[in-house]
Amino acid sequence: MKKIILITAILALSLSQLGAQQVPQPFDTTGCFFPLHKSCAGKIISHEHKDLKPDFTMNAVCYFFDTTTINGMEWQLPPGWNIIQTGGNTAQVFKRGDSLLLSFIISIPDINHLPFYPQYMEIKLWSNQEGHGVQTTTMAGKVYFTPYNSIEIWNLEDFYDLKRRWLEEDSLAPQQRVYIPWKEIPQSDLGDDPSPYERNPETWEHWWIDNFREVEVKGLAYAVLMKPVPPDSLDYYEEMYAEETGGEMEKAKKTFTGTIKGKITSLIKRDYGANKEIGLAGLHVRLMRKYGGVYYNFGEAYTDEEGNFTVSYHESRSGSKAKLYLRVFSETNETYNIRSRKFWGGVYDMDIYLGEYGQNAGSVNKGSLRIAGESADAFRAAHWAWKGINYFERQSAGIGGGLRIKINASIGSGANNYVYVNDPAIHLETGDGAHENTIYHEFGHYAMYRLQGNKMKIPFAEDGVSSHSWLSENTGLLAWIEGWANAVQMILDAAHWKEDNEYGLDEV
């Protein structure tokens, strides 16, 4: 039987974003964020309504780990949408082990002009844990009006586990919904077994393993992910597409050369003042050429300490121009082996369109390329975990690599270390990947696990379960484990203070 350490810690976020209800602020007397151990976690329940209606139901479930009362709720919806709570009694005291089902009706303003892309929605639950003040629980999801006239509701964890590559709304012209019969949309053939796409020392550099083939359907907001094309079949795919589109002239291969430079960045939440854009370190980037629905590898690299990368290419391919993309992966190299992974094993990735280039493109500097959207937590978390391992390496206290990160986790933020499987993981609630303190704290648990030879002792609670409850935990081991994690958090924050111009409780 697997022994599991579930250590749940969260950093409270500012309550000022939605502003619909005034509640006590989760700050200490300095005004700085401080970590709280959550008493509540929750998620939106994924569901598909088969009928397209202007009013539809949505449910969410909350789980309680300590004595808790609910102070209120706020929500973020697309413009013009309305929400009414129809079920779930929040006016009660919840005990450890309780759960609460919340029901809502969502109304949309115009069923005849529905959005083409999935729409983001968020519910914030303000709760008060006995003895620990106000806390927040974020439950986020997406609503997608399908082209076959159903309504898909996904919590973010399920949404990003789908075998789909969603079109990037910011980089494309507005698109209109059209009717597409369900039977005309292909189904992914990837299956549910993640093992074919697992990274290991023998296959780490086999770029084609996660270079999934994408099937696009006009009028669909996503491409369907299919099994990747083996490298020895790429020439066949290329020639077949050229034969269909351009004949013999198109098949004549040309040599494409050039160098692409840039900097991968993302916005982060600071403890003081405005948010800041930073470079993301250690991330895997791949230069891709899209041709005939298949991506061809033109070179790859890893971002440096500041997020900069350089990829040079020299490829013989069909066509007169090369349409190039930069695919950024939520993973580091095989030495650190940090991966923000989806349930079925794939890593998060994001395509950034770079433009079309001729045969001799020369050196092109694309400047800052920002990772945005709800999946950006996967990339920011990998960046901060990379910073953590790199710091220990510089101190001659190497802890090795091998860390899995799961974003949008419904259990809240915590370190979930599988002792016997040797597969340590960090789970992050929606939004927690935007702030370094949460990652650094949970990374502290990972560092302890490694330094103790992957045999970290479990802080069993009074009932014998490895829960993380202040009201039931009475061992000194919990204080040692949490004190260590807080110390690592502060050490890494101080070591990298230039990143956000903050140092502990002081703004530099």
Side-chain angles (χ1 to χ4, degrees), residues 188-191 196-197 208-209 211-214 224-230 237:
S188 174
D189 61 357
L190 292 180
Y197 316 107
W208 64 276
I209 289 178
N211 179 29
F212 302 111
R213 185 165 55 91
E214 300 176 8
V224 181
L225 296 182
M226 296 292 189
K227 290 182 178 178
V229 180
Y237 268 82

Side-chain angles (χ1 to χ4, degrees), residues 157-375:
E157 189 173 13
D158 291 340
F159 180 81
Y160 286 111
D161 281 339
L162 294 170
K163 299 174 182 68
R164 305 172 178 176
R165 188 186 303 282
W166 294 92
L167 303 181
E168 295 294 330
E169 183 174 355
D170 292 340
S171 61
L172 298 171
Q175 301 204 31
Q176 299 298 318
R177 293 182 72 253
V178 296
Y179 179 77
I180 305 174
W182 180 84
K183 293 183 178 180
E184 294 184 9
I185 299 177
Q187 302 301 304
S188 174
D189 61 357
L190 292 180
D192 296 322
D193 181 9
S195 57
Y197 316 107
E198 278 293 316
R199 292 291 201 178
N200 59 62
E202 287 73 34
T203 62
W204 189 270
E205 295 300 338
H206 289 187
W207 63 271
W208 64 276
I209 289 178
D210 51 10
N211 179 29
F212 302 111
R213 185 165 55 91
E214 300 176 8
V215 177
E216 298 178 359
V217 178
K218 187 175 181 180
L220 196 60
Y222 60 87
V224 181
L225 296 182
M226 296 292 189
K227 290 182 178 178
V229 180
D232 56 5
S233 300
L234 285 177
D235 285 343
Y236 168 77
Y237 268 82
E238 185 179 36
E239 290 184 8
M240 181 177 64
Y241 178 73
E243 185 71 32
E244 292 177 353
T245 58
E248 295 299 322
M249 292 296 294
E250 182 71 15
K251 285 197 296 184
K253 291 189 174 182
K254 302 176 179 64
T255 300
F256 294 90
T257 63
T259 298
I260 301 292
K261 299 180 180 180
K263 181 176 183 178
I264 303 301
T265 68
S266 184
L267 283 177
I268 66 169
K269 293 182 180 295
R270 300 175 69 243
D271 290 337
Y272 300 89
N275 296 335
K276 184 180 180 183
E277 185 172 11
I278 66 168
L280 299 183
L283 296 184
H284 184 189
V285 298
R286 182 180 301 147
L287 187 62
M288 314 284 287
R289 188 237 181 149
K290 188 176 182 181
Y291 189 70
V294 177
Y295 289 88
Y296 296 82
N297 184 25
F298 266 38
E300 49 197 316
Y302 294 92
T303 58
D304 64 14
E305 285 265 10
E306 305 300 325
N308 300 302
F309 70 89
T310 299
V311 180
S312 296
Y313 61 93
H314 187 285
E315 293 287 328
S316 180
R317 293 293 172 189
S318 300
S320 58
K321 289 187 176 181
K323 182 182 291 186
L324 297 183
Y325 293 78
L326 189 75
R327 181 164 293 173
V328 186
F329 295 90
S330 61
E331 66 178 3
T332 66
N333 60 22
E334 68 275 18
T335 300
Y336 288 4
N337 191 9
I338 301 166
R339 295 160 290 164
S340 294
R341 279 171 40 184
K342 303 178 183 180
F343 175 77
W344 53 272
V347 298
Y348 291 81
D349 53 48
M350 182 171 293
D351 284 355
I352 301 174
Y353 178 57
L354 302 176
E356 287 190 332
Y357 298 91
Q359 290 179 253
N360 301 302
S363 181
V364 179
N365 191 335
K366 300 299 296 186
S368 293
L369 303 171
R370 181 183 293 180
I371 299 291
E374 293 80 28
S375 65

Side-chain angles (χ1 to χ4, degrees), residues 487-505:
V488 170
Q489 170 192 320
M490 290 183 284
I491 290 169
L492 294 178
D493 178 39
H496 304 113
W497 68 269
K498 290 185 178 179
E499 182 172 85
D500 58 2
N501 292 324
E502 293 174 347
Y503 186 102
L505 299 181

